[in-house]
């Protein structure tokens, strides 16, 4: 068992969300002594939005959710941990269909109202008997806490991850709560890992989808642990409508901006928790790029820095090796002019106009790098494009976890 | 000091190349007790071709070589090890100009006939006084061996790297010999690292350039250690014309095919040596992708696999975790159909038609993974596109080398 990440955050105090009921059970997908099936019952009228992996080899769960999202209605969520069911052909698809049918029969809804997500080893069909027994046990189980659910959806995660926020919509306070799992195989430019957001707000499913897309672009798509992309990445947002607000239907409705801000804030909290549990992580790194030709270009350069093994090992070694940042800017393939480039670590400018700052003093940089929150700032001096991404350092811990993990 | 790579090859017996004279000296770019300046004198009439990094932040040496390559004539090469001189502004440019002027004055050629390459730390201007003293010492030094030169151009390399081959051109045997350095900050899609090829063949510089481009695309652009791209990558090919063959001028000249084949073979040997010295490498990995829509698509998918930290750590752990190969195919962003995908390790098919092979026996795969040469084969089942790339595993050694390397 891996030690808890030194960057771990305590699990916050998450309130109940009206219309959401959680249970967990032990399906026994792996030989472990813990809950590994999470069941969430959602009141009638719950709408749903989602973003899923851009992998060309998605799991059957991802394909199922994509189809079900077109209808926009949800009555239940089942999350399996320990087996991703990806790359398992017809047997994998059959397992998802069996889960949806079992739950739909119990709830009295269409199978398309049942959302399914699985995480764990690729290539082993999810055992239908274990899934069905786990569902039956969860249906009969007492209500579980958010923290229990966050633990039950985890795999290599070292701590359970949750976040909460609120917004005022049409004079009513709506609550947004979320749980997430993810530690390795984390890369951006797609919905990353398994994340679930629940709110009591009333909101049209199309608007919820657009707002989730926007939040995703600024949060889940801005994190990376290892540049590897899961076949199962899924983020779902469920809105039960129980808060009593006048339902949001358009971006310009009163309260829509507040809800978007709250949703983005929640997603950012959740995304950053994944980085804080990055496999082997000892440092939380914020990479900010500004002065790029466009925001998109800034985003790509920031990711080139955040995904560079040489930058990540330098931070692990608390080494102010800004030359590696130059390297990562240079390899991004985006517009950059060497002689306009400026780089800082924390608040200290280390390079400007394509060379080291005159009389550069490494002492404050060395002090900054000793902390567990490191900032790398790059100014390209070309335009107004900017982006921020979050990553972690690359340590012996990452190698230990991944060279020993058995398929 | 790092131990010699377990994948190291002994330095081959390289013959002299007529028209090429080598010397080494101690410029003292770092506090080490070894030769770190290599000087190669080339007879009048030597032509040159080259490929350089695609980094947007190239070193002044790279810019110098690019300009000089337009003229196609070479009389000398100077290689500095321990300081890349990259990202050093006007002072870096002045150092390159001073080196070229010093050598040109001695040789009696134009400065543009002097090629300069430097490798090492980024961001520290190359000290002109040390360079000039090193050049003077090299000019007065006895002739050095290929192996001494290969050692003198090294930085974090754990063994000197050279290769040799021959071709029959117009009834004459021509010889091609090369040396190379590189171990980390190795990524494809550009000329990678510092590599120098010398031949006594007579060949027009334009043809030599086209042939080097073609060889590069199949060799240096097909290796990766860590996906990071140097600001200084340079491969230069020098042809002295002393073999006495009728000069090659066109692709359809007699012997041109043989020379192209020999050049590509030499470059492949050199490229693979870099992978064999990949930082921390314990396994040499060949990734072959076939059945892609195009060769280019196959190349990108192969690189996605070869650059995946999760694939590389799985190989380090001798774990037949083919799910991570699926993941890397899926994230490449290239056309792929999950249910047509087939994967093999060594000669053993592990997955076909989007799921594990019926009755798959892990024993021969486990045996294959215990060796130090690992093959991963992917068939996409879509078309005729294919590509092969070479990489190494990702181990604790990589972290140790790069988290401790001081800028």
């Amino acid at each position: 068992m891996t030690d808890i990440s030194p960057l771990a955050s305590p699990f916050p105090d998450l309130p109940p969300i009206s219309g959401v009921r959680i249970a967990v059970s032990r399906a026994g997908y792996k030989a472990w002594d813990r809950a590994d099936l999470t069941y969430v019952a959602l009141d009638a009228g719950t709408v749903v939005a989602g973003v899923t992996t851009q992998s060309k080899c998605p799991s059957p769960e991802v394909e199922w959710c994509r189809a079900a999202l077109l209808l926009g209605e949800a009555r239940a969520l089942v999350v399996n941990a320990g087996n991703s069911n990806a790359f398992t052909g017809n047997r994998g698809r059959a397992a998802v269909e069996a889960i949806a049918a079992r739950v739909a029969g119990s709830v009295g809804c269409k199978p398309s109202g049942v959302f399914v997500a699985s995480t764990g080893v690729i290539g082993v069909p999810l055992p239908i008997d274990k899934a069905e027994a786990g569902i039956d046990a969860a249906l009969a189980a007492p209500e579980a806490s958010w923290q229990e659910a966050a633990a039950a959806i985890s795999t290599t995660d070292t701590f359970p991850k949750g976040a909460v926020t609120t917004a005022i919509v049409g004079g009513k306070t709506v609550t947004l709560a979320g749980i997430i799992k993810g530690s390795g195989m984390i890369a951006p430019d797609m919905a990353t890992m398994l994340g679930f957001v629940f709110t009591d707000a009333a909101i049209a499913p199309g608007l919820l989808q657009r707002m989730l897309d926007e939040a995703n672009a600024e949060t889940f798509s801005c994190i990376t642990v290892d540049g590897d992309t899961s076949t199962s990445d899924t983020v779902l947002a469920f809105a039960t409508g129980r808060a009593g607000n006048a339902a949001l239907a358009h971006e310009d409705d009163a309260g829509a901006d507040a809800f978007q801000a709250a949703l983005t804030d929640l997603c950012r909290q959740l995304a950053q928790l994944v980085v804080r549990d990055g496999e082997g992580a000892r440092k939380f790194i914020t990479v900010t790029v500004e002065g790029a030709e466009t925001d998109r270009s800034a985003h790509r350069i920031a990711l080139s820095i955040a995904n560079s093994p040489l930058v990540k090992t330098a931070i692990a070694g608390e080494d102010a090796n800004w030359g590696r940042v130059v390297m990562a800017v240079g390899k991004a393939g985006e517009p950059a002019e060497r002689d306009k480039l400026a780089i800082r670590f924390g608040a200290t400018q280390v390079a400007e106009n394509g060379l080291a700052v005159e009389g550069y003093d490494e002492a404050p940089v060395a002090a900054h790098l000793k902390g567990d929150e490191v900032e790398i700032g790059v100014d390209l001096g070309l335009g107004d494009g900017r982006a921020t991404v979050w990553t972690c350092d690359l340590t012996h811990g990452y190698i230990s976890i991944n060279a020993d993990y058995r398929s």
Side-chain angles (χ1 to χ4, degrees), chain A:
Chain A
M1 195 56 197
T2 313
D3 291 339
I4 292 172
S5 167
L7 306 174
S9 298
F11 199 84
D13 193 17
L14 263 60
I17 298 290
S18 178
V20 176
R21 186 185 173 282
I22 308 167
V24 301
S25 67
R26 298 184 181 196
Y29 294 122
K30 291 185 71 172
W32 53 20
D33 183 32
R34 47 159 276 195
D36 53 7
L37 186 146
T38 305
Y39 177 79
V40 183
L42 300 157
D43 275 7
T46 296
V47 302
V48 59
V51 283
T52 55
T53 183
Q54 293 187 19
S55 170
K56 302 283 183 177
C57 301
S59 69
E61 282 80 347
V62 167
E63 293 185 324
W64 177 270
C65 287
R66 285 177 184 164
L69 281 166
L70 298 177
L71 303 175
E73 297 174 0
R75 291 301 306 283
L77 166 69
V78 176
V79 185
N80 307 297
N83 183 327
S84 78
N85 196 35
F87 215 66
T88 54
N90 289 330
R91 289 176 61 196
R93 281 187 281 277
V96 178
E97 288 165 9
I99 288 169
R102 190 80 156 200
V103 173
S106 162
V107 172
C109 69
K110 289 180 290 190
S112 62
V114 181
F115 285 75
V116 185
S118 302
T119 174
V121 164
I122 293 172
V124 180
L126 193 79
I128 292 178
D129 54 343
K130 289 186 179 177
E132 289 182 336
I135 289 165
D136 292 349
L139 288 169
E143 187 157 1
S145 69
W146 287 110
Q147 184 164 352
E148 286 172 302
I153 67 172
S154 294
T155 53
T156 56
D157 307 64
T158 72
F159 64 94
K161 304 174 189 69
V164 62
T165 189
T166 59
I168 309 287
V169 178
K172 299 278 185 184
T173 297
V174 304
T175 304
L176 300 87
I179 57 175
I180 197 161
K181 67 86 51 182
S183 184
M185 209 177 276
I186 299 293
D189 199 22
M190 68 289 302
T192 318
M193 14 48 353
L194 301 188
F196 307 103
V197 172
F198 303 88
T199 179
D200 52 8
I203 181 169
L207 180 59
L208 182 61
Q209 183 64 53
R210 289 197 295 280
M211 286 186 166
L212 183 62
D213 288 341
E214 185 167 324
N216 173 58
E218 292 179 35
T219 60
F220 301 120
S221 290
C222 296
I223 66 170
T224 180
V225 168
D226 51 15
D228 275 341
T229 304
S230 166
T231 50
S232 306
D233 296 331
T234 301
V235 173
L236 298 171
F238 302 95
T240 65
R242 293 291 163 129
N245 61 295
L248 292 170
H250 300 290
E251 272 95 348
D252 51 4
D253 284 352
D257 285 349
F259 187 80
Q260 175 74 69
L263 181 62
T264 300
D265 176 69
L266 187 81
C267 291
R268 187 179 294 111
Q269 289 184 56
L270 292 170
Q272 293 190 356
L273 285 170
V274 171
V275 172
R276 289 186 172 280
D277 204 7
E279 288 173 339
R282 313 288 297 181
K283 309 270 188 192
F284 181 90
I285 307 171
T286 301
V287 179
T288 301
V289 173
E290 53 195 355
E293 286 200 350
T294 62
D295 287 351
R296 184 179 170 82
S297 179
H299 184 72
R300 288 186 176 172
I301 292 169
L303 286 176
S304 178
I305 297 166
N307 276 322
S308 160
L310 288 170
V311 170
K312 292 159 83 88
T313 48
I315 301 300
E318 303 180 348
D319 176 9
N321 194 328
W322 57 271
R324 295 185 182 175
V325 178
V326 175
M327 177 281 298
V329 172
K331 78 164 182 167
E334 292 294 318
E337 287 183 33
R338 183 189 57 199
D339 297 343
K340 291 183 176 176
L341 194 56
I343 295 168
R344 67 177 165 81
F345 283 103
T348 310
Q349 205 69 36
V350 299
E352 277 177 338
N353 304 319
L355 70 172
V357 167
E358 195 77 35
Y360 155 57
D361 175 13
E362 200 177 303
V365 174
H368 179 69
L369 293 179
K370 286 202 186 305
D372 59 15
E373 308 257 346
V374 171
E375 283 180 51
I376 301 174
V378 169
D379 191 332
L380 295 160
L382 299 177
D384 294 327
R386 58 173 294 133
T388 297
V389 307
W390 302 279
T391 190
C392 55
D393 55 344
L394 174 58
T395 69
H396 285 287
Y398 185 87
I399 307 294
S400 297
I401 293 166
N402 287 301
D404 302 335
Y405 182 94
R406 286 295 301 175
S407 62

